[in-house]
Amino acid sequence: MIAKLKGILDSHRDDGAVIDVGGVGYLIFGSSRTLGQLGDPGAAVSVHVDTHVREDHIHLYGFATENERRCFQVLQTVQGVGAKAALAILSALSPEEVMQSVAAQDKTMLTRADGVGPKLATRIVNELKDKAVGWSPGGSLVVGKSGAAATPVAGGPVEDAVSALVNLGYGRSDAYGAVVAASRTLGDGAALDRLISTSLRELAS
């Protein structure tokens, strides 16, 4: 299995790029986010790779970061999400935004991606929430068994604070992200009023 490619960008394609590694051209498919970061032909490039082997083809999917590659893999664990849909999502949202939308149960954010309607967006947030998908304080994607999420557990003051911010007019994903940051700053057991005030400062910063 190919896990990483490092070489010279040979050319761009509509949905991919060719990377010359020691005289061999490897065609990779990628999100518009990754493809846009490769630069012009002749540039030195390095991409993380997810290799898909099928009976009739071998496809290489390239990513600018390991976090994006892992998010691509996690998205495909959802029924109805294949490689094409996962790349469309990662073209519209960063891995951190995908995970934040899942944690916040924000279906609207996911529908920014081409081909992702409300029904599929609902399935994504529901199925990934059950698998405890979150992100670490350093921004790395974390996937674990139930109860192993790196974000605060929904419910209680956390959920109440999110609801309060949404009622003030903030988007659910933005509100959740601010409350997560506030909860980490204040520690476990923070009172609701402190969570809300600290979250508002996060949103204003």
Side-chain angles (χ1 to χ4, degrees), residues 34-46:
T34 285
L35 296 177
Q37 293 179 35
L38 293 179
D40 297 322
V45 295
S46 176

Side-chain angles (χ1 to χ4, degrees), residues 65 72 149 153:
T65 65
F72 174 75
V153 178

Side-chain angles (χ1 to χ4, degrees), residues 8 32 56 59 77 81 90-91 101 104 128 133 145-146 152 160 162 175 177 180 183 202:
I8 303 299
S32 60
D56 57 344
H59 280 176
T77 66
V81 178
L90 289 168
S91 291
S101 67
L128 294 189
V133 179
K145 296 179 181 178
S146 180
D160 291 343
V162 171
V180 166
S183 179
E202 287 285 340

Side-chain angles (χ1 to χ4, degrees), residues 131-143:
K131 294 176 181 177
V133 179
W135 66 94
S136 71
S140 297
L141 181 62
V142 176
V143 185

Side-chain angles (χ1 to χ4, degrees), residues 83-108:
K84 183 177 180 179
L87 287 181
I89 292 170
L90 289 168
S91 291
L93 303 170
S94 70
E96 292 74 26
E97 288 172 331
V98 172
M99 293 302 104
Q100 185 167 331
S101 67
V102 170
Q105 294 290 280
D106 187 346
K107 301 179 287 291
T108 303

Side-chain angles (χ1 to χ4, degrees), residues 32-189:
S32 60
R33 185 181 305 275
T34 285
L35 296 177
Q37 293 179 35
L38 293 179
D40 297 322
V45 295
S46 176
V47 293
H48 300 272
V49 173
D50 193 48
T51 304
H52 286 201
V53 179
R54 301 290 185 268
E55 290 184 1
D56 57 344
H57 69 253
I58 297 176
H59 280 176
L60 303 179
Y61 296 91
F63 306 93
T65 65
E66 174 63 14
N67 218 28
E68 188 184 23
R69 186 181 73 87
R70 293 181 66 190
C71 190
F72 174 75
Q73 293 172 330
V74 171
L75 283 168
Q76 290 177 87
T77 66
V78 177
Q79 182 182 0
V81 178
K84 183 177 180 179
L87 287 181
I89 292 170
L90 289 168
S91 291
L93 303 170
S94 70
E96 292 74 26
E97 288 172 331
V98 172
M99 293 302 104
Q100 185 167 331
S101 67
V102 170
Q105 294 290 280
D106 187 346
K107 301 179 287 291
T108 303
M109 197 169 180
L110 288 168
T111 58
R112 296 180 192 173
D114 290 340
V116 177
K119 183 180 292 186
L120 182 56
T122 298
R123 189 182 303 145
I124 291 170
V125 297
N126 287 341
E127 291 191 23
L128 294 189
K129 177 193 68 174
D130 293 341
K131 294 176 181 177
V133 179
W135 66 94
S136 71
S140 297
L141 181 62
V142 176
V143 185
K145 296 179 181 178
S146 180
T151 53
V153 178
V158 169
E159 184 57 38
D160 291 343
V162 171
S163 296
L165 294 178
V166 170
N167 290 335
L168 289 173
Y170 292 100
R172 186 166 180 83
S173 289
D174 290 338
Y176 188 88
V179 173
V180 166
S183 179
R184 288 174 179 151
T185 298
L186 298 173
D188 295 337

